[in-house]
Amino acid sequence: MTCRRRLAAGTLPIREAKAPIKRRFLQRHVSQVALSPSLALIAIFLYGFIAYTAAVSTTNSKAFPRFDTFVGLEQYWRLFHTPRWHVAFTNMFLFGGLFLLVTISLGLLIAILIDQRIRAESFFRSIVMYPMAMSFVVTGIIWQWLLNPTLGIEVMMHQLGFESFRLDWLTNPDTVIWALVVAAFWQGCGLVMALFLAGLRGIDEDIWKAAAVDGIPAWRVYVFIVIPMLAPVFLTVVVLLSLSIVRAFDLVVALTNGGPGVSSDLPSVFMFDMAFRRTNLGLSAASAVVMLGTVLAILIPYLYVETRERA
Amino acid sequence: MIDIRISNCNKNYGSLRVLKDINLEIERGEFIVLLGPSGCGKSTLLHIVAGLDRLSSGAIEIGGRDVTDVEPKDRDIAMVFQSYALYPTMSVRSNMEFGLRMRGKPMAEIRPLVEDKARMLHIDHLLDRRPSQLSGGQRQRVAIGRALVRDPKVFLFDEPLSNLDAKLRASMRTEIKKLHQSLGTTAIYVTHDQLEAMTLATRMVVMKAGEIQQVGKPEEVYHRPVNLFVADFLGNPGMNFMKGRLRLEGGRVSADVGAATIPLDGYAFDTSPTDGQAVMVGLRPESVQPSTGGEPFALTLKPTLIEHTGSDNLVVLAMGSEEIVGKFPSDMLPKLGEPVAVGFDLSRLSVFDAQTERRI
């Protein structure tokens, strides 16, 4: 044990002999004492309210939580018989799948392009990173304007002379999901690119030299050697993006507000709507619990792999 | 027959001149070691031969063919790196096969070749493991194996043993030497370890600040260094230097180093000496031995410090205001402060001009 750690833990013998009993307790447990306020806050406001939400989901609460209306798992039964929930839940996977695919593949591609020792690298890096500084609300509004057929890209193309150009993603229920994907990609690409770029920079230069001497074409080095070496980065990226997919709320509210109709609904929007507009707290709580389950289904395997690698 | 010819090779990074007009001819089958302190340009020179770095001016020929603008893969070379540079996501077998597969060689030919070389390097039992499951020495064997299967015209080694511990380094060194003796392939080997250079090289090239200082057989470079830098860089413990002036009297030359006058009758001068010329007289510690009475030149000196290395005793001796180190046999243990008779092997002397630092 290093001296500093022993000092922190209060087991350094000189101190121990002199300190009165009360101070000795503090010295021994200084880290626990320092952490306890935040632990208490997390216990109450995170885990406490998760439990509370789970409890509410077993009641027939309307505008306010009422525990005298216990209905068991009926809210879950209702949830899975609500067509709008199915749209929202399916959308989460549709949007999530497309978003993951587009963001990872293009983010990796941009990282590879920037890694080619290009000129003005920091300029390009900044351009890709800047959208990350925007909140999803701002992102949503920007893309709402850009995709608006009466003032965005479509008008610009018409003015340029392409009269037949149409961009009706926002008004077409079949394509509105793409509007979400494009906006989310625009915002999330910077982070993904930065993670991949860091991974690429971490690869030993000698590997490239060895491949050059071996006569392996660059694309094959990427496909067979470099990209497999980036597996841990992929895992991190997938987890980060997956969590942002489940949490996605502000983007949808700002960009489409779930429309047209409910065609771009996501579970988080559904939950918010049920709780605060439709005064159906019980159903809302049930959807929240299902979302938590989805998050855990993603997180637990990741944590399992991570902790096993560390051990 | 000349296998590699490096002519008037220059390499600049902006205004920084990394290599200055390098000329070197390497015969087929030679084992050339590039030796020098870090930053002397030895690795850059190797990379230029490999084609991994472009030269600013000059030309490289391999096997009589101008390869200055040829891609590394078409130069018929193979390279071993300090960090091994194995492909971590592939098995040992795939690592060795990959280069050949990329060249479109049929698998039926690759398989036996890889297994043969793996047996040669004693890694045949490791073929299905990943590099991360191997020790440093095993990884470097795999890296050498990957170079061997290519059967290249030239092997390039970039400090291949620097990441290994001392003991392993010594055994790998002998293995590389054996390998070269049995294959006879031309090799260029970069290192900053003089022991590796001395033991492996058929000829060594000592470099400093982008310039070649001396090219020659290891013993020649060791015993007849052309300048102070080479003399000082080689040898451990380093060469003793005594500041002095030449004295020419009646056709006899001697060097007055303050505490003594060293006769230079038997010394083969490269340039004619002048009276009063400021010089540095260099003598390696192993040429400073306890006197047996028979030497033509001996002094009585006081030991001030003794270091035991096991095989020898390194004795620091006061000589006027300066100190010199003698390498005494381990059974000869002089007492501190008690003068001992020390014999000098003057046939091993090196004399340098103090101004130009060149051998005279």
Side-chain angles (χ1 to χ4, degrees), chain B residues 74-116:
Chain B
D74 300 320
R75 291 189 179 200
D76 205 1
I77 52 160
M79 193 156 172
V80 178
F81 298 87
Q82 178 179 356
S83 63
Y84 324 126
L86 297 175
Y87 310 133
T89 51
M90 295 183 185
S91 68
V92 168
R93 187 190 300 277
S94 307
N95 261 285
M96 291 171 74
E97 283 172 354
F98 203 50
L100 296 176
R101 271 197 349 235
M102 289 298 117
R103 275 154 209 266
K105 213 176 171 94
M107 273 315 271
E109 283 177 45
I110 297 176
R111 274 279 145 114
L113 198 65
V114 165
E115 269 155 28
D116 180 49

Side-chain angles (χ1 to χ4, degrees), chain B residues 163-182:
Chain B
N163 282 4
L164 305 179
D165 62 64
K167 195 152 189 186
L168 204 53
R169 205 181 302 165
S171 71
M172 284 300 283
R173 201 174 63 211
T174 33
E175 273 192 63
I176 290 178
K177 184 149 183 121
K178 274 187 207 155
L179 213 57
H180 177 252
Q181 277 171 354
S182 65

Side-chain angles (χ1 to χ4, degrees), chain A residues 24-229:
Chain A
R24 230 158 63 191
F25 174 82
L26 257 182
Q27 278 172 358
R28 263 176 218 223
H29 301 279
V30 64
S31 55
Q32 287 95 322
V33 170
L35 283 175
S36 55
S38 51
L39 280 177
L41 288 176
I42 289 172
I44 297 167
F45 290 100
L46 197 68
Y47 295 102
F49 283 138
I50 287 175
Y52 187 75
T53 305
V56 171
S57 74
T58 61
T59 68
N60 200 8
S61 303
K62 292 299 179 189
F64 296 97
R66 288 183 50 172
F67 289 100
D68 53 354
T69 56
F70 182 77
V71 291
L73 295 177
E74 197 193 301
Q75 294 288 15
Y76 291 91
W77 188 88
R78 274 180 60 197
L79 182 69
F80 286 104
H81 286 82
T82 306
R84 190 181 159 193
W85 170 254
H86 281 280
V87 173
F89 204 65
T90 319
N91 269 349
M92 183 172 76
F93 287 100
L94 191 64
F95 163 72
L98 290 171
F99 172 59
L100 274 180
L101 194 76
V102 171
T103 311
I104 288 181
S105 49
L106 289 182
L108 179 61
L109 187 70
I110 293 170
I112 287 173
L113 292 178
I114 287 182
D115 193 36
Q116 305 301 311
R117 295 193 181 168
I118 51 168
R119 260 171 226 273
E121 181 195 308
S122 58
F123 171 73
F124 287 106
R125 222 168 40 199
S126 306
I127 283 188
V128 181
M129 298 278 276
Y130 265 127
M132 228 170 81
M134 309 269 180
S135 71
F136 265 127
V137 174
V138 179
T139 307
I141 290 171
I142 289 173
W143 282 93
Q144 196 190 31
W145 290 345
L146 282 173
L147 296 173
N148 188 323
T150 56
L151 51 85
I153 297 170
E154 186 170 323
V155 177
M156 190 186 79
M157 295 304 274
H158 287 180
Q159 282 165 350
L160 287 174
F162 300 95
E163 293 291 340
S164 59
F165 183 85
R166 278 174 60 78
L167 189 70
D168 58 353
W169 285 1
L170 281 185
T171 50
N172 184 342
D174 296 328
T175 55
V176 69
I177 207 81
W178 279 104
L180 288 178
V181 170
V182 166
F185 160 73
W186 183 79
Q187 210 267 354
C189 174
L191 175 72
V192 174
M193 183 278 295
L195 287 170
F196 278 126
L197 189 59
L200 288 171
R201 289 282 149 89
I203 284 172
D204 184 4
E205 281 277 313
D206 283 353
I207 296 243
W208 281 102
K209 291 177 188 165
V213 172
D214 265 352
I216 304 166
W219 70 269
R220 277 184 186 250
V221 181
Y222 276 115
V223 172
F224 291 112
I225 299 164
V226 171
I227 291 177
M229 283 172 80

Side-chain angles (χ1 to χ4, degrees), chain B residues 244-255:
Chain B
R245 284 190 182 278
L246 288 189
R247 198 185 288 165
L248 270 70
E249 276 174 330
R252 296 185 62 185
V253 190
S254 58

Side-chain angles (χ1 to χ4, degrees), chain B residues 147-322:
Chain B
L148 280 183
V149 291
R150 295 260 316 281
D151 192 22
K153 196 167 274 158
V154 180
F155 279 120
L156 305 174
F157 295 92
D158 191 3
E159 308 210 16
L161 307 183
S162 300
N163 282 4
L164 305 179
D165 62 64
K167 195 152 189 186
L168 204 53
R169 205 181 302 165
S171 71
M172 284 300 283
R173 201 174 63 211
T174 33
E175 273 192 63
I176 290 178
K177 184 149 183 121
K178 274 187 207 155
L179 213 57
H180 177 252
Q181 277 171 354
S182 65
L183 294 174
T185 312
T186 313
I188 306 180
Y189 187 108
V190 164
T191 184
H192 60 260
D193 182 322
Q194 44 168 307
L195 199 59
E196 273 172 35
M198 293 294 295
T199 49
L200 286 173
T202 56
R203 271 200 308 159
M204 62 197 270
V205 177
V206 184
M207 293 181 67
K208 178 196 160 195
E211 283 175 297
I212 291 181
Q213 303 291 310
Q214 187 169 7
V215 183
K217 291 199 173 72
E219 58 275 17
E220 190 181 308
V221 177
Y222 186 78
H223 289 302
R224 289 184 58 83
V226 294
N227 59 30
L228 263 183
F229 171 79
V230 177
D232 195 33
F233 189 71
L234 283 180
N236 185 24
M239 190 184 258
N240 296 305
F241 293 109
M242 293 162 275
K243 230 183 247 170
R245 284 190 182 278
L246 288 189
R247 198 185 288 165
L248 270 70
E249 276 174 330
R252 296 185 62 185
V253 190
S254 58
D256 182 1
V257 295
T261 302
I262 300 170
L264 298 176
D265 298 312
Y267 186 76
F269 280 98
D270 287 352
T271 58
S272 52
T274 52
D275 191 42
Q277 188 176 1
V279 291
M280 297 286 268
V281 179
L283 194 58
R284 296 212 175 269
E286 58 267 30
S287 302
V288 180
Q289 293 271 347
S291 174
T292 54
E295 299 89 0
F297 185 73
L299 292 170
T300 306
L301 300 171
K302 250 187 209 167
T304 59
L305 183 79
I306 297 168
E307 290 179 302
H308 309 276
T309 65
S311 57
D312 310 282
N313 289 326
L314 299 177
V315 181
V316 182
L317 302 152
M319 189 168 165
S321 58
E322 293 181 69

